[in-house]
Amino acid sequence: MRVLVVEDTADIAEAVVMRLEKMGHAVDWEQDGITASELLAVQAYDLVVLDLSLPGQDGLAVLRQMRARRLKTPVLVLTARSAVDERVGALDLGADDYLIKPFDYGELEARARALLRRSAGQSDNLLRVGPLVIDRAGRVASINDRPLNLTRRELTVLEILAARPDRIVPKEELVEQLFNFDQEASPNAVEQFVARLRRKLADASVEIRTLRGLGYQLAVV
């Protein structure tokens, strides 16, 4: 998924970005509230991790502008503000969850997974397509209980396709979900990931189909 982290404390932001990237997400990081709002106006995200105390404009203003533009992107607020009325205010403005600093990064990961599940209408961390099972929490995939040896990017591609079985996912959408602004986004790289996945799924009754000019589709054979 594509995640935006808005946090001006560098060591916290770097740790959050690292944990989210290990979960398989493409992550962009902004330190300024105004810049974050401008980015949210032009770039779609699956999750925003938002600090409240920001230079330029605070996180509540960023959140208020998001909801005024009818953006439904889940927002996880991170802040040192612990007063109940401030938590209530953020939730009433449209925040979906709240973590008070200092927080446990394992809890951050779990809350991020829960928000992404909820926005996708899924009840747990398991994706199932025929004999294929992907455990989003454990970051592993298996076919008939046989583990697949996948790289992080291969697993992310498979996860995106498995979240929408039988639906066509455009190559451009895969590029968008796999690479952040600091990385070279390449449709050719997506083709290589898909080719490697096909080899690893060769003996399974699940296949990745190419629909020329449209994209890719994961389907049970």
Side-chain angles (χ1 to χ4, degrees), residues 124-137:
D124 60 27
N125 288 317
L126 298 180
L127 291 175
R128 298 178 178 87
V129 181
L132 170 68
V133 178
I134 299 175
D135 181 347
R136 287 172 154 177

Side-chain angles (χ1 to χ4, degrees), residues 26-195:
V27 186
D28 297 317
W29 170 31
E30 292 295 342
Q31 296 175 278
D32 179 272
I34 293 175
T35 306
S37 288
E38 292 171 347
L39 182 57
L40 285 161
V42 297
Q43 174 65 50
Y45 288 96
D46 300 286
L47 175 67
V48 176
V49 179
L50 178 66
D51 185 29
L52 293 188
S53 299
L54 296 168
Q57 67 180 19
D58 68 15
L60 290 179
V62 175
L63 178 59
R64 189 179 294 110
Q65 290 176 15
M66 286 181 64
R67 298 317 186 210
R69 291 199 297 266
R70 307 285 180 99
L71 291 181
K72 297 180 180 180
T73 310
V75 175
L76 173 59
V77 167
L78 303 180
T79 184
R81 304 177 188 177
S82 58
V84 172
D85 58 345
E86 293 189 341
R87 295 202 301 272
V88 170
L91 293 168
D92 282 344
L93 275 178
D96 297 273
D97 203 352
Y98 204 109
L99 266 178
I100 298 173
K101 301 175 184 176
F103 53 84
D104 181 85
Y105 287 97
E107 183 178 3
L108 169 76
E109 292 181 12
R111 289 177 181 267
R113 282 193 297 270
L115 290 176
L116 289 166
R117 278 201 317 268
R118 191 183 309 161
S119 65
Q122 295 161 350
S123 59
D124 60 27
N125 288 317
L126 298 180
L127 291 175
R128 298 178 178 87
V129 181
L132 170 68
V133 178
I134 299 175
D135 181 347
R136 287 172 154 177
R139 301 300 299 158
V140 293
S142 61
I143 294 283
N144 293 322
D145 297 324
R146 176 178 56 86
L148 293 172
N149 183 19
L150 304 178
T151 66
R152 180 172 63 85
R153 285 270 171 80
E154 290 169 359
L155 180 60
T156 300
V157 171
L158 191 59
E159 180 181 344
I160 293 168
L161 295 174
R164 287 158 275 189
D166 296 321
R167 287 178 53 188
I168 300 169
V169 180
K171 185 186 298 183
E172 295 77 16
E173 184 174 337
L174 288 171
V175 171
E176 182 87 359
Q177 299 283 342
L178 288 168
F179 301 98
N180 62 31
F181 288 127
D182 297 327
Q183 297 167 330
E184 184 177 352
S186 168
N188 290 335
V190 171
E191 292 174 6
Q192 292 172 13
F193 296 141
V194 169

